[in-house]
Amino acid sequence: MKRLLLSLLIIISSSLLFASITIEEAEKMMMRNNTSIRSAEEAVVKAGLDLKDSKANFSPTIELSGSMTYMTDPIIGPVIMESSDIMNQMGLGSYSDQVSGYVTLYDGMENTMYMGSLSLTQPLITWGKLGKAVDLYQNILTAQSLRKDDTVAQLQAELRIRIWSLKYLEEMDVLVKEAETLSNRLVEIAKSGYENGMLLRQDYLSAQISALEVEVKKTELDKNNSSVMEGLRTLIGDYSINYEDLEMPTDESFLRKYENSDLDTLLSLATGEDNNNLKAIKNLIGAYSNQKTIAQRSLYGIPDFALQAELTYSNSRLPFIQTGWKQNDNSGLNLSIGFKTTLWDGGKAINDVNRAQSNIRDAESQYDSAVGEIRSAVISNYNGMKTNLINIDYQTQKIENLEQELENIRIGMKYGSDSESEEKQKMLEIVEAKTYLLESKIALVQNVYTLDYLTGSEIL
């Protein structure tokens, strides 16, 4: 029984150790670790706190302050008089000779002094500026939330582009290795033919150049593979992941998602009201509009009114704790309504209005520019999608035709009408066509997922 349990634990541990990461799991890792997403989330948090601050301005501000002072030499000391002087001041001078000694009339200030105040300030009339400030920060919060969603959608598309690219690059790597073997064999055949006088030196050099071209292709492929993998690691925030850790997708049906789509429809979707980027800019315009209203209502001579109440206390003893503090009337309550306005600041208030108007115009320009860039990206990827689909269909048919030609060559080899060189050359052509097919698929993946992102479609 113990051996059985041990075997089960080993099997479970091994399955966990070699578990592949699916696209969905990679996306969860990206949502947790990606720095761009985390930064966008924090921007939303900060915007939410700013909105709460703006709403808090409607509430009163209550402040409590206090101090305790210890005086080694109080300002007012003890008051001591002779008994005879007291009798004289009381009109009892005839008795003054009968009284002698000193009488303490006042013991002097205590060494401690406690002071405190409780104040309340409540805005009364601000001409709607507080409400406009709330609207402004609500616009900013909405814009930041939309930008976060836009960032997530963009990275979701990038994640899938990189994983599919890795899949096709790995398949290309297998083809390049096959091409390397074939080209090396063709070099051997050409060398033998040249040495036997059956081929010209030019033919031999051509075979060598073809082999070198395959080496260049292999180097470029390794570079692209490394770049895509490193980008994926950065995207999901895990730099230990390798190709073997990923579970590659197999369903290629999405590649023809937009095959029958109309360009005008895609442009309408991409530049419509549901585009997160455009909605964010619209909220930015709204924020600047509210900023302009606030600036206009803060111009010279427009007063803000507020109620202020202040409760003060000063005594040598603490209230409620020490006894005897009630005997001294050292507390007070003051109520006042005040106003504040700027009469002149060198024109800064007017500049604030003009600055807000400039910000509105700039944001409107950003909106128009964003619409233009989105339209250009949709058109470019739509045309690229159409071109790559045609290339895929072309290369697929070409490969089918080349494979038939290869079959005919192999039949001819049995009867001595065709050579091994022709066979290997045809196999090399098939490898080349398959490589072009995979390159078109990589480009098509980029087109499809970019259109998903631009049109706001669900990214699968």
Side-chain angles (χ1 to χ4, degrees):
M1 186 64 180
K2 289 183 178 179
R3 289 183 178 179
L4 178 60
L5 289 174
L6 181 60
S7 300
L8 288 173
L9 287 174
I10 293 174
I11 293 172
I12 293 173
S13 300
S14 300
S15 63
L16 291 175
L17 182 63
F18 297 103
S20 297
I21 300 173
T22 63
I23 287 182
E24 292 74 20
E25 290 167 346
E27 184 175 307
K28 291 178 182 178
M29 296 171 66
M30 179 187 73
M31 294 298 294
R32 290 194 305 268
N33 303 327
N34 187 269
T35 55
S36 296
I37 294 177
R38 287 160 57 188
S39 178
E41 289 173 342
E42 290 305 316
V44 173
V45 171
K46 292 176 183 177
L49 294 174
D50 290 339
L51 177 60
K52 289 181 179 180
D53 287 345
S54 66
K55 291 180 178 179
N57 290 330
F58 284 102
S59 303
T61 300
I62 301 175
E63 296 178 330
L64 175 65
S65 63
S67 65
M68 188 278 285
T69 304
Y70 182 83
M71 299 174 289
T72 57
D73 187 13
I75 299 174
I76 303 175
V79 177
I80 302 173
M81 294 183 66
E82 289 190 45
S83 301
S84 58
D85 292 338
I86 296 174
M87 298 295 289
N88 288 330
Q89 291 181 12
M90 296 175 61
L92 302 174
S94 57
Y95 297 97
S96 61
D97 294 337
Q98 301 177 14
V99 181
S100 62
Y102 293 91
V103 177
T104 301
L105 300 179
Y106 175 60
D107 292 332
M109 291 180 62
E110 297 186 25
N111 295 89
T112 57
M113 174 61 70
Y114 299 95
M115 302 181 67
S117 67
L118 179 66
S119 65
L120 179 148
T121 303
Q122 173 64 57
L124 295 178
I125 302 174
T126 61
W127 313 105
K129 287 185 288 187
L130 295 183
K132 286 296 179 181
V134 172
D135 294 339
L136 185 153
Y137 286 108
Q138 181 63 64
N139 287 137
I140 294 176
L141 174 60
T142 303
Q144 294 292 4
S145 298
L146 290 168
R147 284 175 174 170
K148 185 204 77 171
D149 294 340
D150 183 74
T151 299
V152 170
Q154 186 176 358
L155 295 181
Q156 284 175 330
E158 182 183 346
L159 175 71
R160 284 156 176 78
I161 290 172
R162 289 188 178 277
I163 289 179
W164 276 100
S165 296
L166 283 173
K167 170 186 170 66
Y168 293 137
L169 287 172
E170 184 66 19
E171 293 178 13
M172 288 172 63
D173 187 59
V174 174
L175 291 173
V176 169
K177 290 177 180 177
E178 182 179 348
E180 187 177 25
T181 301
L182 291 170
S183 61
N184 289 336
R185 178 55 185 159
L186 285 171
V187 170
E188 292 176 1
I189 295 173
K191 180 181 179 182
S192 176
Y194 170 66
E195 290 175 348
N196 294 327
M198 298 176 64
L199 290 177
L200 297 174
R201 177 175 173 77
Q202 182 68 35
D203 296 326
Y204 175 45
L205 292 176
S206 296
Q208 287 182 313
I209 291 173
S210 297
L212 290 174
E213 288 176 351
V214 173
E215 287 295 325
V216 172
K217 186 76 174 179
K218 185 176 185 302
T219 302
E220 292 177 350
L221 184 62
D222 291 340
K223 178 183 176 181
N224 292 336
N225 209 330
S226 176
S227 176
V228 173
M229 175 58 75
E230 192 60 29
L232 179 64
R233 290 167 179 158
T234 302
L235 198 63
I236 64 179
D238 190 336
Y239 295 94
S240 64
I241 288 180
N242 294 311
Y243 178 85
E244 294 76 16
D245 301 321
L246 299 170
E247 181 180 323
M248 288 298 155
T250 56
D251 186 4
E252 296 182 338
S253 59
F254 76 97
L255 291 176
R256 297 186 178 271
K257 181 177 182 179
Y258 295 102
E259 183 176 14
N260 300 316
S261 297
D262 178 66
L263 177 58
D264 291 335
T265 301
L266 295 178
L267 288 171
S268 178
L269 288 171
T271 58
E273 296 181 353
D274 292 332
N275 184 284
N276 287 333
N277 194 18
L278 296 180
K279 285 194 294 184
I281 298 176
K282 284 184 178 179
N283 275 276
L284 191 62
I285 294 173
Y288 288 139
S289 297
N290 287 315
Q291 183 186 47
K292 178 183 176 182
T293 302
I294 294 171
Q296 289 174 331
R297 296 177 184 180
S298 301
L299 287 172
Y300 309 117
I302 301 178
D304 292 335
F305 293 87
L307 168 68
Q308 186 170 34
E310 185 176 25
L311 177 64
T312 60
Y313 174 83
S314 62
N315 199 347
S316 59
R317 299 186 180 185
L318 283 172
F320 308 110
I321 298 177
Q322 298 178 356
T323 59
W325 62 273
K326 289 184 179 180
Q327 283 70 21
N328 297 321
D329 187 17
N330 293 324
S331 62
L333 175 64
N334 300 317
L335 297 174
S336 59
I337 294 178
F339 73 91
K340 181 180 180 181
T341 185
T342 301
L343 297 179
W344 182 246
D345 60 0
K348 292 180 181 179
I350 297 175
N351 293 339
D352 287 340
V353 176
N354 294 331
R355 186 177 294 108
Q357 184 61 51
S358 176
N359 289 335
I360 293 173
R361 292 193 298 267
D362 182 55
E364 289 173 343
S365 297
Q366 290 181 32
Y367 183 88
D368 294 337
S369 176
V371 170
E373 290 178 2
I374 291 171
R375 287 182 59 86
S376 178
V378 170
I379 293 171
S380 174
N381 282 279
Y382 179 83
N383 292 333
M385 177 266 298
K386 288 291 187 180
T387 301
N388 287 313
L389 282 174
I390 292 173
N391 283 336
I392 288 172
D393 292 338
Y394 166 70
Q395 295 296 339
T396 301
Q397 292 182 19
K398 182 178 179 180
I399 291 169
E400 184 178 351
N401 184 60
L402 289 172
E403 287 177 342
Q404 184 61 51
E405 291 178 359
L406 176 62
E407 185 63 27
N408 293 335
I409 290 173
R410 286 174 175 169
I411 293 174
M413 288 174 65
K414 293 179 181 180
Y415 297 99
S417 59
D418 293 297
S419 64
E420 181 186 0
S421 177
E422 291 174 311
E423 178 197 29
K424 295 296 187 281
Q425 186 62 46
K426 188 60 64 175
M427 291 174 67
L428 198 58
E429 290 179 27
I430 294 173
V431 168
E432 186 178 47
K434 288 181 178 179
T435 301
Y436 287 144
L437 174 64
L438 291 173
E439 288 177 351
S440 296
K441 285 187 176 182
I442 291 175
L444 182 58
V445 166
Q446 295 175 345
N447 296 144
V448 172
Y449 279 124
T450 302
L451 287 173
D452 279 345
Y453 162 67
L454 292 171
T455 59
S457 302
E458 185 178 3
I459 300 176
L460 300 175

